[in-house]
Amino acid sequence: MQYLLAAVVVLPLLGSAAALLPAPPGLRGRNPDQAVLRHGVTVTGVVLAAAVALAAGFDRGHPARMQATTDISWIPALHIRIHLGVDGISLPLIVLTALLTFLCALYSYFKMPTGPSPKAFVSLLLVLEAGTLATFAVLDLMLFFLAFEMVLIPMYFLIARWGGAGKQAAAWKFILFTLLGSVVMLLGLLLIGVKSGTFDMVALATDNGPKAQLSHTVQLLAVLAIGIGLAVKSPMWPLHSWLPDAHTAAPTVGSVLLAGVLLKMGTYGFVRIALPITPEGMHTFAPYLAAFAAIGIIYGSLACLALVRNGAKGDLKRLIAYSSVGHMGFVLLGIASATPTGVNGALFANIAHGLITGLLFFMVGALKDRTGSTDLDALAGTTGAALYGRAPRFGGLLAFGAVASLGIPGLAGFWGEMLAMFGAFRPAEGLSRPAFLTFMVLAGLGTLLTAAYLLLVVRRVCMGGHLAAQAAPGEEPVSAEEPAPVIPDIARHEYAAWSPLAALTVLAGLWPAALLGLTDPAVQQLLGGGK
């Protein structure tokens, strides 16, 4: 098991280096570009197989115990160790990361983003996977920081070199926001390590361990510093402004990975580091975190409603990016409640958001390839999408993704949001219940607004027609006689890349115990100080 976990983290790095080498003559296929794209599919497929084997061998009877552990001294002078391990909290995120990266590599094999050499693309994709997997597997604060930072450079280049309009500005905004947040986070991590004498996350999470050396003031400073860095990556309102630009400019697979796994690194840090290691500091800042989360839920929904209205020239990718701000608000609200119910809901919502939003970004990218635009007014016009009549399977799956995202019972999006609100209904002892009830009401209002804008998206894009046929002021009216362009329905490679996400969305919605059975014992132990 420990070799499997080490392989999951190391194999993408080895594959990244190998992608830059010339392809052996017998493996080139039709051309070297095809060979390197096939290499990306192979490496990510092997990593996914190793992650599934790790999950199959995981002892579900003791999900709170760290399994598949490796603990080797790395820098003795600084007490930094190569410490890896997996429990019920990190295992689902590792499998989700491996799955989404494999599906992105598979999709890119058939639909490579427009840009420079595929060699660099595949290499960066694998470095990105390695950094994300390492973030969820490491148990040392300094290694966590290194893995956390490792994903920034490949994502920057994926946006800047293979992105669309405005890619350079979006890439710079992404890197500046996340780097500045990370510098502040590093100060908090160093403060914990210096004051406690260790960077070991397992030891620090135990009540009678080194955590006892952390005074209330130290915990406050540490949570403030670490929380800013994690909040930027989550992203929490008002530190979210880099996200819509990054999503709008990123290539399809960049958007899928950014929404599906990179945002989860911030919320995972709150659960793995802030809650168990600095509980007093989190208790003090929890109401503020919950308030920002509730504002983010409402803000994201209102921004989406503004984008979806007729004549707004709203971008569908940008709309889904703003919806992520709202959905991640539910995750942060559950974490802020500091209750097992709320934290379990946050972890469930993390996985559900990765599956559903990954599917939506895949489909929006494919829709842009088919129509040449993600402008909602263009897609909704008489010459636009009207997917139900012209590509019924595509339209049906897009409607499924939207309905799953609005949190309908029976699909994955429902359980995380509901449990997060339950956590806010009865927060941890010492937190103001009236304040959290207010945040819960705001979150409930956010679910109604979410349903409103997503149903409007389905109505306009999947039905089309007269809903957007009216011309904006000063523009020529759209001719109803103009023939509609042909829109191909779902291709085989798209079925292969999208079906697993749709199937898992249904499975998680109908059988939530499969995931909650893993996370709940680990969350109980984490919040109980290792007991």
Side-chain angles (χ1 to χ4, degrees):
M1 288 286 286
Q2 71 184 78
Y3 294 121
L4 270 177
L5 182 58
V8 164
V9 175
V10 173
L11 279 176
L13 282 177
L14 298 178
S16 174
L20 299 174
L21 301 175
L27 297 177
R28 285 181 182 171
R30 291 193 298 269
N31 55 65
D33 288 351
Q34 185 199 39
V36 74
L37 291 171
R38 186 172 60 241
H39 170 79
V41 176
T42 303
V43 174
T44 55
V46 171
V47 172
L48 175 60
V52 170
L54 184 70
F58 187 80
D59 182 2
R60 289 170 177 76
H62 302 88
R65 177 168 54 84
M66 282 295 170
Q67 302 180 34
T69 55
T70 299
D71 192 2
I72 305 169
S73 179
W74 184 34
I75 308 177
L78 299 178
H79 307 290
I80 299 175
R81 305 180 67 81
I82 298 177
H83 192 183
L84 306 176
V86 64
D87 65 356
I89 293 172
S90 54
L91 180 64
L93 290 166
I94 287 174
V95 176
L96 175 68
T97 301
L99 173 66
L100 282 176
T101 313
F102 170 70
L103 296 180
C104 285
L106 180 65
Y107 186 82
S108 300
Y109 180 78
F110 295 95
K111 187 63 182 178
M112 171 70 194
T114 304
S117 161
K119 277 191 172 186
F121 175 82
V122 171
S123 182
L124 290 168
L125 190 70
L126 291 171
V127 172
L128 184 68
E129 180 181 32
T132 312
L133 289 168
T135 301
F136 300 135
V138 297
L139 297 173
D140 184 277
L141 291 177
M142 287 297 100
L143 282 185
F144 176 86
F145 176 77
L146 293 175
F148 199 85
E149 295 302 286
M150 186 176 169
V151 303
L152 301 185
I153 299 304
M155 182 53 73
Y156 167 81
F157 281 111
L158 286 175
I159 296 172
R161 303 299 296 278
W162 288 271
K167 57 187 180 183
Q168 292 292 342
W172 274 111
K173 198 170 185 180
F174 163 76
I175 200 77
L176 288 175
F177 265 77
T178 49
L179 274 179
L180 288 173
S182 298
V183 168
V184 180
M185 184 177 75
L186 177 60
L187 297 176
L189 296 175
L190 289 172
L191 180 62
I192 290 175
V194 168
K195 293 295 183 181
S196 66
T198 182
F199 291 105
D200 189 283
M201 292 155 69
V202 177
L204 285 165
T206 306
D207 276 348
N208 58 358
K211 181 169 66 176
Q213 305 297 320
L214 302 177
S215 67
H216 182 71
T217 302
V218 168
Q219 290 197 32
L220 286 176
L221 293 173
V223 166
L224 183 60
I226 295 170
I228 289 173
L230 297 175
V232 170
K233 188 67 73 74
S234 293
M236 181 185 77
W237 180 92
L239 303 174
H240 69 284
S241 60
W242 60 270
L243 184 71
D245 292 339
H247 270 310
T248 305
T252 297
V253 295
S255 293
V256 170
L257 292 175
L258 183 57
V261 292
L262 261 69
L263 303 188
K264 313 304 177 282
M265 294 164 62
T267 52
Y268 173 78
F270 275 111
V271 175
R272 179 65 74 194
I273 298 172
L275 275 176
I277 297 176
T278 55
E280 294 179 25
M282 271 298 289
H283 188 277
T284 301
F285 284 109
Y288 304 100
L289 178 62
F292 286 132
I295 294 171
I297 293 169
I298 299 296
Y299 170 84
S301 300
L302 292 176
C304 291
L305 281 171
L307 288 170
V308 80
R309 74 183 192 276
N310 282 352
K313 296 294 182 184
D315 186 280
L316 188 52
K317 283 188 77 174
R318 196 172 189 85
L319 183 143
I320 298 173
Y322 273 111
S323 79
S324 290
V325 176
H327 288 305
M328 298 310 289
F330 283 98
V331 177
L332 293 169
L333 179 62
I335 293 169
S337 72
T339 62
T341 302
V343 176
N344 276 304
L347 293 171
F348 197 102
N350 260 346
I351 301 299
H353 180 264
L355 295 172
I356 297 167
T357 309
L359 174 62
L360 286 173
F361 273 121
F362 265 135
M363 300 201 71
V364 173
L367 189 59
K368 184 175 184 180
D369 293 334
R370 285 161 164 78
T371 64
S373 173
T374 52
D375 182 274
L376 277 162
D377 289 338
L379 292 173
T382 53
T383 59
L387 292 175
Y388 283 159
R390 294 156 58 198
R393 289 186 291 274
F394 194 104
L397 190 56
L398 181 62
F400 167 83
V403 169
S405 185
L406 65 84
I408 194 168
L411 296 176
F414 171 73
W415 296 105
E417 295 181 1
M418 184 193 70
L419 290 173
M421 288 193 286
F422 277 170
F425 179 74
R426 198 175 297 280
E429 186 178 349
L431 296 176
S432 170
R433 195 177 181 209
F436 272 82
L437 285 175
T438 303
F439 303 145
M440 185 195 74
V441 171
L442 290 174
L445 176 61
T447 62
L448 298 178
L449 297 175
T450 301
Y453 71 73
L454 285 170
L455 291 176
L456 283 171
V457 167
V458 171
R459 188 181 180 195
R460 298 191 68 195
V461 177
C462 295
M463 298 179 184
H466 69 281
L467 293 167
Q470 300 174 358
E475 291 187 358
E476 291 294 323
V478 178
S479 171
E481 302 299 324
E482 188 176 343
V486 174
I487 297 180
D489 217 329
I490 302 177
R492 288 183 180 179
H493 70 277
E494 292 171 336
Y495 271 122
W498 304 345
S499 297
L501 301 178
L504 288 171
T505 298
V506 175
L507 180 63
L510 296 178
W511 190 26
L515 186 56
L516 294 173
L518 285 175
T519 61
D520 184 53
V523 168
Q524 298 273 4
Q525 179 168 302
L526 213 61
L527 295 178
K531 299 172 185 174

